[in-house]
Structures are given as structure tokens and as C-alpha cells.
Amino acid sequence: MSTPLKTILLEQIATSGPITFADYMAQCLMHPEHGYYQKERVFGQDGDFITAPEISQMFGEMLGLWLADRWIKMGKPSPVHLIEFGPGRGTLMADMLRAISPVEGFTDAANIHFIETSRQLRKLQKEQVPNAKWHDSAASLPDGPSLIVANEFFDALPIHQFEKHKGEWLERRVNAEGETFTLVLTPPSAKLALIPEKLKNSPEGSILEVCPAALSITGDIASRISDGGGAALIIDYGYRTSAAGDTFQALMGHAFTDPFAEPGKADITAHVAFDQLNQAAKEKGVATFGPAAQGMFLMALGMGARAQQLSNTMDPIGQQRILSELKRLTASEAMGTLFKVLALQHQELPEAPGF
Ligand code: SAH
């Protein structure tokens, strides 16, 4: 099926030749008019996918308490920047703020910042968290001590793909034949240099991915923490140790679909390479913890006890719901293992809880 964005992309390819996966992905997600994240309903039961904060309030509560603990260990700086990358509907921040409200002084000290490019989602976020400040990127954030979260943000950042062909690494680009997108192998862009050397020994026909934006944003977060103090939690699904493979995927109506079928209509993501993020962070001088499996992390922070406490006040239907939310977030066969948590923090902070 054609979409307005498909017409634009086909024209672009006709004029300037095949485009990188990164260019394709960035336009599908972030095109200011036809990009996926400009859609009204992306998350939740009636959207295309559901994220942890949309499954349960307990997710944000645990993360909020982790941040509150770090704030206390930092010596309760005021002001402190409470920063979220890619806040979606604003649910996670709203849940975190509720959970931290009993921590004396924290709410008053916190200046809330959202990094969000979608104008549509900014509107939803404003309903949940009216006193936030919005930024297109981290570049406009003020200096100072920072507590940072990013849930399912890094998987939306554009990747490049390379394929080994006759012993050489070539870049996979998106081309078109008539109205259909096709893939072509072309000389690699300079981004090939970002792929870890050990992966380049992968056999003929292997596909490697790299996400330059994820590496640079992780580096920026780490520099901010090294310079101004603080801590960050990066939560996403992906590799503990990066490996060859094609993880470029699209979701529509909670089912996988062809990422090239209806550009702008489906969510497109790629697995996050946690080892590469970890490396990028360490190079900027922060301490890192994990990645831990999401289930282990949340249980270590006390989500089991929180579920019990909530259940105690509920009727049997409510109790069933809480139990099922707990399972979805923590069980291995659900989000518990595929999703991982990486923490970055200033070298002087005591060990991060949950790892
Ligand atoms: N964290 C939310 C939403 C995840 S979806 C949740 O867990 O429910 C990804 C979010 O990141 C959306 O808000 C999207 O608009 C935003 N986003 C994606 N790429 C971005 C970019 N390059 N810069 C800023 N925001 C981006």
C-alpha cells in the first residue's frame, strides 16, 4: 500500500540514489509530518505496541525510587535535572514523580526535562507532566547534576547495516524498482569504522548493524554525568554482547510486519547493542553497572513486595491484574530477560542498587 511518506522516499531515491537504512529509519519514525511518532495512538492496547510503563505503574515507581536513592547518595543537590529521553505518553515520568513525592525535598529540587522530537507526543506529555521543559536533543540541556532515564528510546535510533560480500563489508541501502523498495549492496559509509573489529570476522553473508546516534547519545549522557554528577538508567531490548544478524523490524497492531511495506505507518526498531553502549560510556569516565535482565533488576528493587502491597487493597480481579502485570514485566518468557537495564553513574557514587 502506498503512503505519503512512501511517495517522498521513492522520489528521493529517484533523484539521489539508494538511501542508507539510517536515513530510511529516521524518516519513517521522525518525518515532521508523516513520521510514525506523529501518529495519535502508538502505544498501549489500541496502539501498535505496549511498553513497560504502559503495562504497569509499578515500573515507574521502581525507577523513581532508584533515582531518589541516587539523589540522596549524591548529597541531595538542588536543583537537580530529572531528564527523560523519548518519554512517549509521559506515563513513566508521571509514575516516577508520584513515587518520589514522599522523599523530602526531591520534587522541589527536580527540574524536569524531556528530550522529544514528536510534536504530537509532546502534547500528550504535557497533559501528564505540565511543568516539564522540552528539548529536541540533549544539546540544549542546562549543565548541572542530572538523573536520567531512557526506556525504549535507543531502539528507535537509526541504524546502518553492512553485509559481507566476497570477503568485503558493503553497506545495505534501500533502493526502488517501480513502486517497490529493494535492497542493494553499495560501498560502505564511514560508519563502518564504528563496528567492533572482532565482529568483522563474521562469515560471508553475515549482516552487521551499528547505531551511531546511540553511541554518541550514550557518550553525551556519560560526559554530562562525569562533569556534573548524577546517574542514568538505559532500558531497552537487545544484545548483551553484540552479534551478527538483522534485527531491523517493524510492528503494527501488535504484530510483526514488513518494515518496507508502509513507511510511516509501522513502528521500526533495531536491537540495542549494550556492550557497545557500555564501552562508549566507560570511555567518558563513568562507572557502569549491568546490563542486568529487567526482571532481575525490578525484583531486586522490590517490585514483588510492591505488587503484594497493592494487591492487599484490591478485590480478586484487581489482584489478578497486578499479578499479571508483575509477570509481564519480570518473567523470562515475557519482558524479563530480553529487556535489559544498564546504569551509568559518577565514579564517586556508591554501588548502584539492582545489579
Ligand atoms: N519511553 C516511552 C516511549 C518509547 S517510544 C515508553 O516507554 O512508553 C520512543 C520515544 O522516543 C517516543 O517518544 C519518540 O517520539 C521518541 N524519540 C524517538 N527517536 C527520537 C529522537 N531521535 N530524538 C528524540 N526523541 C525521539
Side-chain angles (χ1 to χ4, degrees):
M1 228 178 70
S2 198
T3 65
L5 187 59
K6 186 165 180 183
T7 312
I8 294 171
L9 292 168
L10 288 172
E11 270 171 25
Q12 187 186 341
I13 292 168
T15 346
S16 356
I19 57 176
T20 61
F21 268 55
D23 194 2
Y24 181 84
M25 187 171 173
Q27 299 214 54
C28 285
L29 294 178
M30 289 299 160
H31 187 280
E33 208 180 328
H34 307 297
Y36 176 73
Y37 283 116
Q38 301 299 338
K39 262 175 65 167
E40 191 81 30
R41 285 203 185 77
V42 293
F43 322 95
Q45 299 297 356
D46 58 350
D48 293 302
F49 62 103
I50 188 156
T51 57
E54 301 300 331
I55 289 174
S56 175
Q57 65 179 72
M58 295 185 287
F59 184 75
E61 290 171 351
M62 293 302 121
L63 268 47
L65 294 176
W66 191 92
L67 296 174
D69 170 73
R70 296 293 87 189
W71 179 68
I72 292 166
K73 299 291 190 318
M74 286 159 72
K76 303 189 176 178
S78 179
V80 64
H81 300 301
L82 185 51
I83 302 164
E84 183 175 359
F85 284 75
R89 296 162 56 101
T91 310
L92 174 57
M93 184 59 81
D95 289 340
M96 292 199 305
L97 290 173
R98 206 185 47 254
I100 65 171
S101 64
V103 180
E104 209 189 324
F106 192 16
T107 312
D108 288 340
N111 289 337
I112 301 158
H113 300 274
F114 283 156
I115 315 291
E116 176 60 69
T117 40
S118 160
R119 294 300 180 264
Q120 195 62 43
L121 288 174
R122 281 186 182 197
K123 283 189 215 154
L124 297 181
Q125 291 156 14
K126 199 168 176 62
E127 286 168 21
Q128 296 292 324
V129 188
N131 57 337
K133 291 196 182 69
W134 281 264
H135 305 261
D136 283 325
S137 77
S140 55
L141 287 169
D143 290 341
S146 305
L147 292 164
I148 302 171
V149 288
N151 184 60
E152 289 211 48
F153 167 76
F154 282 86
D155 65 352
L157 298 176
I159 58 149
H160 290 255
Q161 276 197 348
F162 302 94
E163 185 173 327
K164 199 175 217 173
H165 180 71
K166 296 190 179 152
E168 247 188 286
W169 287 103
L170 297 177
E171 181 143 6
R172 302 181 95 205
R173 282 184 163 84
V174 183
N175 202 4
E177 275 169 31
E179 297 285 288
T180 311
F181 291 114
T182 56
L183 298 183
V184 278
L185 293 181
T186 60
S189 64
K191 307 297 182 206
L192 179 62
L194 295 171
I195 301 249
E197 278 310 314
K198 61 177 192 314
L199 286 177
K200 291 193 183 146
N201 298 328
S202 306
E204 182 72 11
S206 301
I207 292 174
L208 297 179
E209 297 176 339
V210 72
C211 186
L215 301 178
S216 71
I217 292 173
T218 305
D220 289 349
I221 291 176
S223 297
R224 162 173 271 288
I225 290 173
S226 290
D227 296 345
L233 285 176
I234 295 174
I235 304 161
D236 228 305
Y237 60 96
Y239 296 120
R240 194 176 291 281
T241 309
S242 39
D246 173 10
T247 73
F248 192 71
Q249 64 182 35
L251 270 178
M252 209 194 298
H254 301 275
F256 288 105
T257 179
D258 175 3
F260 299 103
E262 295 181 77
K265 294 272 181 259
D267 181 39
I268 300 187
T269 59
H271 278 29
V272 172
F274 277 97
D275 52 346
Q276 294 179 34
L277 299 195
N278 202 349
Q279 181 64 27
K282 281 189 175 150
E283 281 168 11
K284 303 289 181 186
V286 290
T288 67
F289 296 85
Q294 172 174 296
M296 305 272 283
F297 177 76
L298 293 174
M299 292 308 276
L301 295 185
M303 192 182 269
R306 175 61 177 145
Q308 187 64 56
Q309 185 193 35
L310 283 169
S311 283
N312 289 343
T313 64
M314 290 182 175
D315 63 12
I317 293 173
Q319 290 175 349
Q320 268 307 318
R321 178 173 62 78
I322 293 290
L323 185 62
S324 119
E325 291 175 4
L326 179 69
K327 279 193 183 151
R328 284 184 74 179
L329 294 179
T330 62
S332 274
E333 66 278 14
M335 296 170 79
T337 306
L338 181 59
F339 280 76
K340 296 180 179 66
V341 186
L342 177 68
L344 323 180
Q345 62 175 36
H346 195 271
Q347 292 285 2
E348 282 162 22
L349 276 178
E351 194 170 330
F355 293 91

